Amino acid sequence: MSDLVEQKQAQAEAVLRLAPVVAVVVIRRVEQAVPLARALVAGGIPAVEITLRTPVALEAIRAIATEVDEAWVGAGTVLSAQDLHAAAQAGARFAVSPGHSPRLLAAAEDSALPYLPGAATASEAMTLAERGYRLQKFFPAVPAGGVDYLRALSGPLPSVRFCATGGIGAATTAEWLALPNVIAVGGSWLTPPDLVEMENWPAIAALAREASVLRA
């Protein structure tokens, strides 16, 4: 494990400890990015993962990085070295992948961005741990085995901690956070498409506020 990987893992840990939930956000209209991020921050959720699933995602990251100082904006659904580079250029402060590949890991180790690679099995988690990734994304959390599966991994892999993402909602978040190997969860329920489309920022801030105290 290189000192640089551990340094960036420490930075990733700082992001994941900002709040119990990382907001996982799909932005379809770039003008909504800044008010949405401000609503999440106002509710106590500063870590905002903008998924690279829409044509305006990088522009949204750039807008939030420029205009919302209190937000820790990152890029999600990072699938390639090109995605990683583009996210860094846009001002992302961390990057997240649903899985990992040798090329993407090599690019991440050459990048200054803190990186959270994805794992869904014990073998994948072990492979990442060998490269120094003690913090990983467990995805898709519910379909991949749920709470019982991740709890079982804590025995043989006590040094690995996860940000569990995929199929988790407000009603089940506390159960995930109670696991010894879960540092945070990723949640898309904080930004329901209907509320975003209506630009109901107070309602989104209220959802964020409820999530921000789940580990209190």
Side-chain angles (χ1 to χ4, degrees), residues 39 189-192 195 198-210:
W189 81 89
L190 299 179
T191 55
L195 293 183
M198 291 186 294
E199 301 188 354
N200 191 339
W201 311 131
I204 288 175
L207 290 173
R209 197 168 295 112
E210 291 172 2

Side-chain angles (χ1 to χ4, degrees), residues 98-194:
H100 62 275
S101 70
R103 287 185 179 181
L104 185 52
L105 290 174
E109 287 161 16
D110 285 338
S111 169
L113 274 185
Y115 175 58
L116 193 70
T121 68
S123 294
E124 291 172 353
M126 289 169 61
T127 298
L128 291 172
E130 284 181 355
R131 296 186 72 141
Y133 291 97
R134 57 184 174 82
L135 297 170
Q136 304 172 20
K137 174 178 178 174
F138 178 55
F139 179 85
V142 173
V147 169
D148 289 342
Y149 181 85
L150 200 56
R151 182 185 292 113
L153 288 186
S154 67
L157 300 173
S159 64
V160 179
R161 302 194 71 189
F162 298 92
C163 177
T165 308
I168 300 173
T172 58
T173 294
E175 185 179 10
W176 286 92
L177 291 172
L179 296 179
N181 56 345
V182 169
I183 188 171
V185 303
S188 59
W189 81 89
L190 299 179
T191 55
D194 58 336

